[in-house]
């Protein structure tokens, strides 16, 4: 298939198929886009600074001179091997440069295109997806399983293990951007160097509030019944570059944990006792806010919120352009629902 998924992506990144000489790597997670594009590039041209085997082209420059791409792709490498033409797409459309190469692919070159989020209607994406000469790799925010695997792999490279509780605590604050997640994990590995094991205390000591990046505040405002505060915090999160998928993932995890603990409360356990069963454990400063939230929600209402958040997770991937609006409306709706619970 032209559009690669799951394990196909990892196999292709590890060993690019020369029968697909046009490669499009795109998506909202620019850290992951950059990481995968660079990994592919190094497989094709081990020395990325070699001007005889690697040509980098700015997409906006290419848009002004579409014929340049075919000219570069048709130039035979001076010392043999495959040439890499690495294009970083910008604001201007470059389909006019790429389309001829999809129909008549170069024999001695690979065209690697690195782009941001592209709608299905964008010609570059739609034409690449239809071509048997292309490989298309979409890069969306990492899910929980992806983040766990990333953390475990980085810890292993650093000669460390990571305790299950520490892993769960770390993962709830990662996501949205692969490069940022990897940087945070490496910072924690550096802190724990020589100890053999990363523990929950290490996560808190190194990252603390910086890992949360304001996401916890948004979640607590939503589930605590403060719609105006949700609106304000979402604007601040946007300015800080916090990704919408990260917020949705955090809200989903919180709703699931709330539901589990709320069931314990409804079985007769006091809220203050039940909140200690939260997984992963709460930072002590959040406990009062979460205790209050547990008093505002029933397990039935939380079940419906979990479903709505799951749907929102899908919509943010399918409709990335309007994801901030969709998620903003949902979180404000959750906050309004919680406020009604406080009044009731």
């Amino acid at each position: 298939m032209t559009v690669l998924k799951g394990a196909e992506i990892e196999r292709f990144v590890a060993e690019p198929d020369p029968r697909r000489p046009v490669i499009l790597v795109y998506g909202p997670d620019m850290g992951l886009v950059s990481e995968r594009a660079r990994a592919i590039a190094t497989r094709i041209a081990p020395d990325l600074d070699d001007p005889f085997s690697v040509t980098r082209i700015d997409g906006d420059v290419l848009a002004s001179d579409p014929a340049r791409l075919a000219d570069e792709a048709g130039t035979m490498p001076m010392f043999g091997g495959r040439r890499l033409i690495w294009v970083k797409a910008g604001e201007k459309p470059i389909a006019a440069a790429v389309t001829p190469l999809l129909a008549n692919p170069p024999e001695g070159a690979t065209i690697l295109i690195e782009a941001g989020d592209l709608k299905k209607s964008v010609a570059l994406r739609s034409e690449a997806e239809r071509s048997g000469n292309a490989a298309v790799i979409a890069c969306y925010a990492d899910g929980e399983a992806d983040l766990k695997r990333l953390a475990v792999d980085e810890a292993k490279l650093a000669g460390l293990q990571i305790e299950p509780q520490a892993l769960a605590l770390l993962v709830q604050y990662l996501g949205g951007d692969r490069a940022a997640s990897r940087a945070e994990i490496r910072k924690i590995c550096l802190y724990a160097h020589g100890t053999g094991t990363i523990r929950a205390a290490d996560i808190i000591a190194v990252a603390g509030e910086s890992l949360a990046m304001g996401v916890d505040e948004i979640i607590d405002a939503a589930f605590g019944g403060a719609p105006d505060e949700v609106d304000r915090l979402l604007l601040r999160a946007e300015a800080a570059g916090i990704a919408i998928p990260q917020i949705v993932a955090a809200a989903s995890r919180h709703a699931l944990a709330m539901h589990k603990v709320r069931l314990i409360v409804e079985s007769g356990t006091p809220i203050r006792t039940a909140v200690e069963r939260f997984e992963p454990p709460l930072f002590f400063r959040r406990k009062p806010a979460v205790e209050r939230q547990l008093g505002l929600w029933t397990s039935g209402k939380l079940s419906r919120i979990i479903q709505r958040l799951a749907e929102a997770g899908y919509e943010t991937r399918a409709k990335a352009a309007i994801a901030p609006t969709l998620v903003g409306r949902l979180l404000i709706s959750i906050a309004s629902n919680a406020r009604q619970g406080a009044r009731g």
Side-chain angles (χ1 to χ4, degrees):
M1 292 179 64
T2 297
V3 180
L4 306 182
K5 296 180 180 179
E8 290 179 322
I9 294 176
E10 302 309 319
R11 286 195 295 269
F12 188 91
V13 170
E15 190 175 353
D17 185 350
R19 293 171 298 180
R20 299 179 182 182
V22 180
I23 306 169
L24 172 62
V25 186
Y26 79 96
D29 186 340
M30 290 307 298
L32 184 54
V33 169
S34 178
E35 181 175 297
R36 283 175 169 165
R38 187 171 185 83
I40 291 169
T42 56
R43 291 293 183 178
I44 297 166
D47 183 2
L48 297 180
D49 294 321
D50 180 1
F52 296 107
S53 60
V54 180
T55 299
R56 300 172 189 260
I57 306 178
D58 180 84
D60 287 344
V61 173
L62 181 62
S64 303
D65 183 15
R68 180 184 171 186
L69 188 59
D71 291 341
E72 293 284 0
T75 301
M76 297 302 295
M78 184 173 294
F79 302 107
R82 287 188 77 80
R83 293 186 66 235
L84 172 66
I85 316 299
W86 194 348
V87 180
K88 291 200 176 184
E91 297 295 324
K92 298 178 181 179
I94 59 172
V98 178
T99 298
L101 294 173
L102 291 172
N104 297 292
E107 294 184 3
T110 295
I111 313 298
L112 174 61
I113 305 165
E114 187 176 339
D117 200 16
L118 302 174
K119 296 180 180 179
K120 286 185 177 181
S121 58
V122 173
L124 175 63
R125 174 182 167 182
S126 62
E127 292 182 15
E129 288 180 342
R130 287 196 297 265
S131 173
N133 296 315
V136 179
I137 299 174
C139 300
Y140 296 106
D142 287 319
E144 184 173 347
D146 301 310
L147 292 171
K148 285 183 175 180
R149 185 165 53 250
L150 180 66
V152 170
D153 289 347
E154 285 294 329
K156 187 179 295 183
L157 286 173
L160 296 164
Q161 294 181 325
I162 182 166
E163 287 185 344
Q165 187 181 60
L167 183 60
L169 182 61
L170 175 60
V171 163
Q172 70 175 318
Y173 295 120
L174 299 177
D177 184 276
R178 171 67 70 87
S181 295
R182 193 182 292 278
E184 290 290 354
I185 296 166
R186 287 178 175 174
K187 185 165 62 176
I188 292 163
C189 289
L190 183 62
Y191 178 82
H193 178 71
T195 65
T197 304
I198 297 172
R199 296 177 170 83
D202 299 322
I203 307 297
I204 296 170
V206 176
E209 294 179 355
S210 69
L211 267 183
M213 296 170 60
V215 174
D216 282 347
E217 291 181 86
I218 297 171
I219 303 309
D220 288 341
F223 285 83
D228 292 340
E229 186 72 355
V230 169
D231 194 35
R232 182 185 72 80
L233 291 170
L234 284 172
L235 289 172
R236 192 178 74 177
E238 182 180 9
I242 298 175
I244 288 295
Q246 182 181 358
I247 296 173
V248 176
S252 297
R253 287 191 293 267
H254 185 72
L256 286 165
M258 283 274 291
H259 182 263
K260 180 178 179 180
V261 177
R262 181 61 204 181
L263 288 172
I264 297 172
V265 172
E266 291 174 3
S267 71
T269 303
I271 287 177
R272 184 161 293 185
T273 302
V275 78
E276 299 299 330
R277 304 276 290 276
F278 235 77
E279 295 179 2
L282 294 163
F283 288 121
F284 71 93
R285 277 174 286 187
R286 284 194 72 201
K287 284 185 180 179
V290 175
E291 286 177 9
R292 179 176 175 274
Q293 293 166 32
L294 285 166
L296 301 178
W297 293 89
T298 65
S299 59
K301 285 185 176 181
L302 286 167
S303 293
R304 291 191 288 275
I305 292 301
I306 290 167
Q307 178 62 35
R308 291 177 66 188
L309 285 165
E311 293 168 353
Y314 171 78
E315 289 181 336
T316 57
R317 295 189 293 271
K319 304 174 183 177
I322 59 172
T325 301
L326 291 172
V327 173
R329 287 176 179 171
L330 174 55
L331 292 176
I332 289 172
S333 172
I334 291 172
S336 298
N337 199 324
R339 186 165 61 178
Q340 289 173 5
R343 289 172 178 171

mmCIF file of all heavy atoms in Angstrom, residues 157-183:
data_model
loop_
_atom_site.group_PDB
_atom_site.id
_atom_site.type_symbol
_atom_site.label_atom_id
_atom_site.label_comp_id
_atom_site.label_asym_id
_atom_site.label_seq_id
_atom_site.Cartn_x
_atom_site.Cartn_y
_atom_site.Cartn_z
ATOM 1 N N LEU A 157 18.561 2.331 26.486
ATOM 2 C CA LEU A 157 19.762 2.890 25.870
ATOM 3 C C LEU A 157 20.667 3.543 26.907
ATOM 4 O O LEU A 157 21.888 3.575 26.762
ATOM 5 C CB LEU A 157 19.381 3.915 24.796
ATOM 6 C CG LEU A 157 18.832 3.358 23.482
ATOM 7 C CD1 LEU A 157 18.337 4.498 22.601
ATOM 8 C CD2 LEU A 157 19.904 2.551 22.753
ATOM 9 N N ALA A 158 20.043 4.073 27.957
ATOM 10 C CA ALA A 158 20.801 4.731 29.027
ATOM 11 C C ALA A 158 21.228 3.751 30.110
ATOM 12 O O ALA A 158 21.770 4.150 31.144
ATOM 13 C CB ALA A 158 19.966 5.849 29.638
ATOM 14 N N GLY A 159 20.964 2.454 29.902
ATOM 15 C CA GLY A 159 21.340 1.453 30.884
ATOM 16 C C GLY A 159 20.447 1.447 32.107
ATOM 17 O O GLY A 159 20.885 1.102 33.206
ATOM 18 N N LEU A 160 19.184 1.821 31.909
ATOM 19 C CA LEU A 160 18.247 1.942 33.023
ATOM 20 C C LEU A 160 16.993 1.119 32.787
ATOM 21 O O LEU A 160 16.607 0.865 31.642
ATOM 22 C CB LEU A 160 17.829 3.410 33.207
ATOM 23 C CG LEU A 160 18.927 4.405 33.601
ATOM 24 C CD1 LEU A 160 18.439 5.830 33.357
ATOM 25 C CD2 LEU A 160 19.312 4.221 35.061
ATOM 26 N N GLN A 161 16.363 0.726 33.881
ATOM 27 C CA GLN A 161 15.007 0.206 33.845
ATOM 28 C C GLN A 161 14.088 1.296 34.378
ATOM 29 O O GLN A 161 14.559 2.257 34.991
ATOM 30 C CB GLN A 161 14.891 -1.049 34.715
ATOM 31 C CG GLN A 161 15.696 -2.229 34.203
ATOM 32 C CD GLN A 161 15.536 -3.454 35.080
ATOM 33 O OE1 GLN A 161 15.411 -3.342 36.292
ATOM 34 N NE2 GLN A 161 15.531 -4.633 34.466
ATOM 35 N N ILE A 162 12.797 1.146 34.158
ATOM 36 C CA ILE A 162 11.853 2.134 34.664
ATOM 37 C C ILE A 162 10.710 1.409 35.371
ATOM 38 O O ILE A 162 10.104 0.496 34.803
ATOM 39 C CB ILE A 162 11.330 3.062 33.539
ATOM 40 C CG1 ILE A 162 10.380 4.107 34.086
ATOM 41 C CG2 ILE A 162 10.727 2.287 32.384
ATOM 42 C CD1 ILE A 162 10.101 5.243 33.103
ATOM 43 N N GLU A 163 10.468 1.770 36.608
ATOM 44 C CA GLU A 163 9.413 1.129 37.385
ATOM 45 C C GLU A 163 8.052 1.387 36.748
ATOM 46 O O GLU A 163 7.821 2.458 36.171
ATOM 47 C CB GLU A 163 9.401 1.679 38.814
ATOM 48 C CG GLU A 163 10.545 1.198 39.666
ATOM 49 C CD GLU A 163 10.427 1.677 41.102
ATOM 50 O OE1 GLU A 163 9.634 2.608 41.347
ATOM 51 O OE2 GLU A 163 11.106 1.111 41.974
ATOM 52 N N PRO A 164 7.126 0.411 36.832
ATOM 53 C CA PRO A 164 5.792 0.590 36.241
ATOM 54 C C PRO A 164 5.089 1.871 36.716
ATOM 55 O O PRO A 164 4.457 2.571 35.916
ATOM 56 C CB PRO A 164 5.039 -0.664 36.698
ATOM 57 C CG PRO A 164 6.109 -1.691 36.868
ATOM 58 C CD PRO A 164 7.300 -0.941 37.401
ATOM 59 N N GLN A 165 5.185 2.174 38.008
ATOM 60 C CA GLN A 165 4.528 3.375 38.524
ATOM 61 C C GLN A 165 5.150 4.634 37.926
ATOM 62 O O GLN A 165 4.448 5.585 37.572
ATOM 63 C CB GLN A 165 4.634 3.414 40.050
ATOM 64 C CG GLN A 165 3.825 4.538 40.686
ATOM 65 C CD GLN A 165 3.980 4.555 42.193
ATOM 66 O OE1 GLN A 165 5.082 4.700 42.713
ATOM 67 N NE2 GLN A 165 2.872 4.382 42.899
ATOM 68 N N ALA A 166 6.466 4.637 37.792
ATOM 69 C CA ALA A 166 7.161 5.782 37.199
ATOM 70 C C ALA A 166 6.786 5.928 35.728
ATOM 71 O O ALA A 166 6.592 7.047 35.227
ATOM 72 C CB ALA A 166 8.666 5.615 37.353
ATOM 73 N N LEU A 167 6.673 4.807 35.020
ATOM 74 C CA LEU A 167 6.306 4.834 33.604
ATOM 75 C C LEU A 167 4.907 5.407 33.430
ATOM 76 O O LEU A 167 4.669 6.252 32.556
ATOM 77 C CB LEU A 167 6.380 3.423 33.027
ATOM 78 C CG LEU A 167 6.098 3.276 31.536
ATOM 79 C CD1 LEU A 167 7.080 4.086 30.717
ATOM 80 C CD2 LEU A 167 6.158 1.803 31.132
ATOM 81 N N ALA A 168 3.972 4.960 34.262
ATOM 82 C CA ALA A 168 2.607 5.474 34.170
ATOM 83 C C ALA A 168 2.560 6.958 34.472
ATOM 84 O O ALA A 168 1.831 7.724 33.816
ATOM 85 C CB ALA A 168 1.709 4.707 35.141
ATOM 86 N N LEU A 169 3.334 7.405 35.440
ATOM 87 C CA LEU A 169 3.364 8.814 35.806
ATOM 88 C C LEU A 169 3.971 9.655 34.689
ATOM 89 O O LEU A 169 3.454 10.722 34.339
ATOM 90 C CB LEU A 169 4.184 8.984 37.092
ATOM 91 C CG LEU A 169 4.292 10.391 37.668
ATOM 92 C CD1 LEU A 169 2.925 10.925 38.034
ATOM 93 C CD2 LEU A 169 5.209 10.387 38.880
ATOM 94 N N LEU A 170 5.038 9.165 34.092
ATOM 95 C CA LEU A 170 5.697 9.892 33.013
ATOM 96 C C LEU A 170 4.820 10.012 31.780
ATOM 97 O O LEU A 170 4.674 11.095 31.191
ATOM 98 C CB LEU A 170 7.010 9.180 32.657
ATOM 99 C CG LEU A 170 7.795 9.717 31.455
ATOM 100 C CD1 LEU A 170 8.188 11.155 31.680
ATOM 101 C CD2 LEU A 170 9.019 8.849 31.196
ATOM 102 N N VAL A 171 4.203 8.906 31.389
ATOM 103 C CA VAL A 171 3.428 8.863 30.152
ATOM 104 C C VAL A 171 2.248 9.830 30.172
ATOM 105 O O VAL A 171 1.894 10.407 29.135
ATOM 106 C CB VAL A 171 2.946 7.417 29.878
ATOM 107 C CG1 VAL A 171 1.828 7.387 28.857
ATOM 108 C CG2 VAL A 171 4.112 6.571 29.392
ATOM 109 N N GLN A 172 1.657 10.059 31.339
ATOM 110 C CA GLN A 172 0.473 10.914 31.363
ATOM 111 C C GLN A 172 0.786 12.365 31.020
ATOM 112 O O GLN A 172 -0.110 13.147 30.712
ATOM 113 C CB GLN A 172 -0.220 10.842 32.724
ATOM 114 C CG GLN A 172 0.526 11.482 33.880
ATOM 115 C CD GLN A 172 -0.287 11.476 35.150
ATOM 116 O OE1 GLN A 172 -1.480 11.750 35.114
ATOM 117 N NE2 GLN A 172 0.343 11.167 36.262
ATOM 118 N N TYR A 173 2.076 12.733 31.033
ATOM 119 C CA TYR A 173 2.432 14.112 30.715
ATOM 120 C C TYR A 173 3.162 14.264 29.392
ATOM 121 O O TYR A 173 3.573 15.364 29.035
ATOM 122 C CB TYR A 173 3.296 14.691 31.841
ATOM 123 C CG TYR A 173 2.550 14.792 33.137
ATOM 124 C CD1 TYR A 173 2.987 14.112 34.265
ATOM 125 C CD2 TYR A 173 1.387 15.542 33.232
ATOM 126 C CE1 TYR A 173 2.292 14.183 35.451
ATOM 127 C CE2 TYR A 173 0.682 15.617 34.412
ATOM 128 C CZ TYR A 173 1.136 14.941 35.517
ATOM 129 O OH TYR A 173 0.439 15.013 36.688
ATOM 130 N N LEU A 174 3.346 13.177 28.686
ATOM 131 C CA LEU A 174 4.026 13.241 27.400
ATOM 132 C C LEU A 174 3.010 13.198 26.267
ATOM 133 O O LEU A 174 1.830 12.969 26.479
ATOM 134 C CB LEU A 174 5.002 12.069 27.260
ATOM 135 C CG LEU A 174 6.130 11.982 28.290
ATOM 136 C CD1 LEU A 174 6.957 10.728 28.045
ATOM 137 C CD2 LEU A 174 7.008 13.217 28.249
ATOM 138 N N GLY A 175 3.505 13.368 25.048
ATOM 139 C CA GLY A 175 2.632 13.284 23.881
ATOM 140 C C GLY A 175 2.503 14.625 23.202
ATOM 141 O O GLY A 175 2.866 15.669 23.741
ATOM 142 N N GLY A 176 1.962 14.602 21.974
ATOM 143 C CA GLY A 176 1.786 15.836 21.230
ATOM 144 C C GLY A 176 2.934 16.133 20.294
ATOM 145 O O GLY A 176 2.740 16.571 19.176
ATOM 146 N N ASP A 177 4.169 15.884 20.763
ATOM 147 C CA ASP A 177 5.341 16.121 19.932
ATOM 148 C C ASP A 177 6.421 15.112 20.329
ATOM 149 O O ASP A 177 6.865 15.095 21.476
ATOM 150 C CB ASP A 177 5.844 17.555 20.109
ATOM 151 C CG ASP A 177 7.006 17.857 19.185
ATOM 152 O OD1 ASP A 177 8.160 17.540 19.537
ATOM 153 O OD2 ASP A 177 6.762 18.408 18.100
ATOM 154 N N ARG A 178 6.832 14.284 19.385
ATOM 155 C CA ARG A 178 7.798 13.215 19.665
ATOM 156 C C ARG A 178 9.138 13.787 20.143
ATOM 157 O O ARG A 178 9.744 13.256 21.081
ATOM 158 C CB ARG A 178 7.991 12.367 18.404
ATOM 159 C CG ARG A 178 9.129 11.350 18.462
ATOM 160 C CD ARG A 178 8.892 10.233 19.457
ATOM 161 N NE ARG A 178 7.842 9.334 19.024
ATOM 162 C CZ ARG A 178 8.012 8.272 18.240
ATOM 163 N NH1 ARG A 178 9.210 7.970 17.774
ATOM 164 N NH2 ARG A 178 6.988 7.502 17.923
ATOM 165 N N ALA A 179 9.598 14.850 19.512
ATOM 166 C CA ALA A 179 10.888 15.405 19.892
ATOM 167 C C ALA A 179 10.869 15.916 21.328
ATOM 168 O O ALA A 179 11.819 15.713 22.088
ATOM 169 C CB ALA A 179 11.276 16.533 18.933
ATOM 170 N N ALA A 180 9.790 16.590 21.707
ATOM 171 C CA ALA A 180 9.682 17.102 23.074
ATOM 172 C C ALA A 180 9.595 15.957 24.076
ATOM 173 O O ALA A 180 10.214 16.006 25.153
ATOM 174 C CB ALA A 180 8.456 18.007 23.194
ATOM 175 N N SER A 181 8.842 14.904 23.732
ATOM 176 C CA SER A 181 8.731 13.746 24.624
ATOM 177 C C SER A 181 10.088 13.087 24.819
ATOM 178 O O SER A 181 10.486 12.754 25.936
ATOM 179 C CB SER A 181 7.738 12.727 24.055
ATOM 180 O OG SER A 181 6.430 13.251 24.017
ATOM 181 N N ARG A 182 10.810 12.898 23.730
ATOM 182 C CA ARG A 182 12.118 12.246 23.823
ATOM 183 C C ARG A 182 13.087 13.086 24.663
ATOM 184 O O ARG A 182 13.864 12.555 25.469
ATOM 185 C CB ARG A 182 12.703 12.018 22.415
ATOM 186 C CG ARG A 182 13.889 11.067 22.414
ATOM 187 C CD ARG A 182 14.469 10.922 21.017
ATOM 188 N NE ARG A 182 13.584 10.247 20.104
ATOM 189 C CZ ARG A 182 13.459 8.922 20.014
ATOM 190 N NH1 ARG A 182 14.146 8.151 20.830
ATOM 191 N NH2 ARG A 182 12.650 8.392 19.133
ATOM 192 N N ALA A 183 13.024 14.414 24.503
ATOM 193 C CA ALA A 183 13.904 15.298 25.267
ATOM 194 C C ALA A 183 13.622 15.189 26.767
ATOM 195 O O ALA A 183 14.554 15.164 27.587
ATOM 196 C CB ALA A 183 13.742 16.737 24.793
#
